Amino acid sequence: MLLLVLVLMSTVGEAFAQTFDGEPAAIDEQTQDRASPRAVDVGLYMSPPFVMEKDNRYEGMAIDLWESIAGRLNFKTHYQPYPTIAALLDATASGEIDVAVTNLSITEKRAHRIDFTYPWFDAGLRIMINEDAGVGFGEVVSGLRDSGFLRAYLWLAFVILVATVLSTIYYRRFDPEFPKAWPDALAEGFYSVMSVATSGRAPIRKNLFGWVGRVWAALWLVCGVAVVAYLTSTVTSVMTAISINSQIDSLADLPGKTVGVFKGGVSEAFAQEAILETRAYNDLDGAVAGLLDGDIDAIIADAPVLEYYAHTHQDEPMDVVGPIFEPDKYGFGVSRNSGLTRDLTVEVIWAEESELVERLRTQYFGDDPS
């Protein structure tokens, strides 16, 4: 019995000694480390409704999801915005930031540079157009030239010039009330010819040749009406053709058009592979300004971003057309130097299984995000 007591006392003494010299101190140190939040540098790219800035704070679906995950992992976040997707990816690849938070599409090319978490949003590309885009004067002239109507117009102009000279000589010789000075006479003759050609009505003048003169005047009026009808029909047909050809309803209508894309975005990569004429912008606001100014014919971008913009800017003539193409998925980009990929992936899966992602989707896009 005495021997048992001595053994117990010896064991307690060793444990007590290790409290000061051994592993328990290390355990306390680890516990203290777990209690201290880890500082994480997060890069952002403004892309409503995923990342937005309001009242000097960031919000949006991607921000809300990140902050929920960061809270569970005891992260202290330091946000750093970047002007383009390309700049955000470069910062993640170089280790300047730990995590890239936005609607970041997961692609093979990007996966060669950075890690990605488990995807948390299904998306794809769509097209935005300006509903009020009309047919410009230059387009009409080009259409008339390509259709061969400009040549006919030149012949009509030649006929009008000849008719002006002949009518001026005629009235100057036989009508005593007609101006005698050549500049005034030619101007009066031109007015008479154009009056018939454009309105089908001749100015009131003295009938110098009786019924023969009336017959010739009537025939001239018929010619004027025919000229007006011809001009109207050709211009209308050309404008209609241009309108039909310039209408954009789907991806098949984009060849030959100039499309706006985002620098470093999947839309830029897709447009380049499709051999489309592009103009790159830093953000959607810049692309919309270009669309309204007529610098571009359409915008290719992530479907949810375009749909959200059109929904929240109903005073602007923007419309999102065509089905989704190039479907992809969003995930958080992770620097390979951070060692956070596994932990973040586990938390994204938790957010999916707990329906947090679905609640956020409904919050920002409604019951039917499509």
Side-chain angles (χ1 to χ4, degrees):
M1 186 64 155
L2 180 61
L3 179 61
L4 178 61
V5 171
L6 290 174
V7 170
L8 289 173
M9 290 179 62
S10 175
T11 303
V12 170
E14 290 178 3
F16 183 77
Q18 287 177 358
T19 302
F20 299 96
D21 301 328
E23 293 184 8
I27 293 174
D28 286 345
E29 200 172 298
Q30 292 171 4
T31 303
Q32 184 176 358
D33 288 343
R34 286 197 298 268
S36 301
R38 172 177 173 173
V40 177
D41 293 320
V42 173
L44 304 177
Y45 171 71
M46 298 300 151
S47 182
F50 295 97
V51 179
M52 302 176 284
E53 185 175 9
K54 183 178 181 182
D55 299 330
N56 294 322
R57 63 181 300 271
Y58 298 111
E59 60 182 28
M61 182 177 177
I63 294 292
D64 291 349
L65 178 60
W66 167 257
E67 292 191 345
S68 296
I69 291 174
R72 286 172 56 86
L73 293 175
N74 196 24
F75 288 165
K76 181 179 180 181
T77 304
H78 173 256
Y79 289 122
Q80 175 64 44
Y82 289 86
T84 65
I85 286 287
L88 179 64
L89 289 170
D90 290 341
T92 309
S94 67
E96 180 180 327
I97 58 174
D98 299 310
V99 184
V101 173
T102 188
N103 53 316
L104 190 62
S105 297
I106 302 173
T107 67
E108 179 186 3
K109 183 177 180 180
R110 291 174 177 177
H112 284 296
R113 304 181 63 200
I114 65 175
D115 289 340
F116 283 97
T117 64
Y118 185 82
W120 49 266
F121 197 95
D122 293 326
L125 300 177
R126 286 191 74 185
I127 301 168
M128 175 178 278
I129 63 170
N130 179 4
E131 290 184 307
D132 290 348
V135 180
F137 178 75
E139 293 177 312
V140 173
V141 172
S142 298
L144 291 171
R145 180 196 61 212
D146 297 339
S147 301
F149 293 132
L150 280 186
R151 183 184 297 273
Y153 289 178
L154 291 175
W155 278 107
L156 286 175
F158 176 73
V159 171
I160 288 172
L161 178 61
V162 172
T164 297
V165 173
L166 292 178
S167 64
T168 299
I169 295 174
Y170 168 76
Y171 281 111
R172 189 170 178 273
R173 180 174 180 181
F174 295 104
D175 187 353
E177 298 179 359
F178 198 80
K180 300 302 180 183
W182 277 107
D184 295 337
L186 288 171
E188 187 68 21
F190 179 71
Y191 172 78
S192 300
V193 171
M194 291 304 298
S195 179
V196 173
T198 57
S199 66
R201 294 191 299 269
I204 299 175
R205 293 199 179 281
K206 185 185 299 183
N207 182 15
L208 302 176
F209 295 98
W211 68 270
V212 176
R214 287 302 183 190
V215 170
W216 277 109
L219 292 175
W220 180 239
L221 289 176
V222 171
C223 293
V225 171
V227 169
V228 172
Y230 177 76
L231 292 174
T232 302
S233 63
T234 53
V235 172
T236 301
S237 64
V238 168
M239 291 182 66
T240 302
I242 293 174
S243 178
I244 293 174
N245 293 333
S246 62
Q247 186 174 354
I248 298 174
D249 293 317
S250 67
L251 183 61
D253 299 319
L254 292 182
K257 307 291 192 302
T258 302
V259 296
V261 296
F262 297 157
K263 293 179 180 177
V266 292
S267 61
E268 183 177 42
F270 170 81
Q272 289 174 349
E273 290 180 3
I275 318 179
L276 298 175
E277 184 177 349
T278 64
R279 179 169 295 185
Y281 295 88
N282 288 342
D283 51 37
L284 183 56
D285 289 335
V288 169
L291 185 58
L292 292 174
D293 291 341
D295 297 331
I296 55 178
D297 301 301
I299 299 171
I300 296 179
D302 291 355
V305 173
L306 296 181
E307 292 161 2
Y308 182 80
Y309 186 94
H311 176 69
T312 55
H313 295 76
Q314 297 186 14
D315 57 324
E316 297 181 3
M318 299 292 104
D319 189 21
V320 182
V321 299
I324 289 178
F325 55 95
E326 288 295 299
D328 59 10
K329 296 178 181 294
Y330 298 157
F332 293 135
V334 187
S335 171
R336 291 176 176 171
N337 300 326
S338 68
L340 296 176
T341 305
R342 181 182 180 279
D343 291 340
L344 291 178
T345 290
V346 170
E347 292 303 318
V348 170
I349 294 174
W350 163 82
E352 285 280 0
E353 293 180 350
S354 66
E355 297 188 351
L356 171 61
V357 172
E358 185 59 32
R359 290 196 298 272
L360 291 174
R361 186 198 307 269
T362 302
Q363 175 184 339
Y364 285 96
F365 293 97
D367 293 331
D368 183 12
S370 61

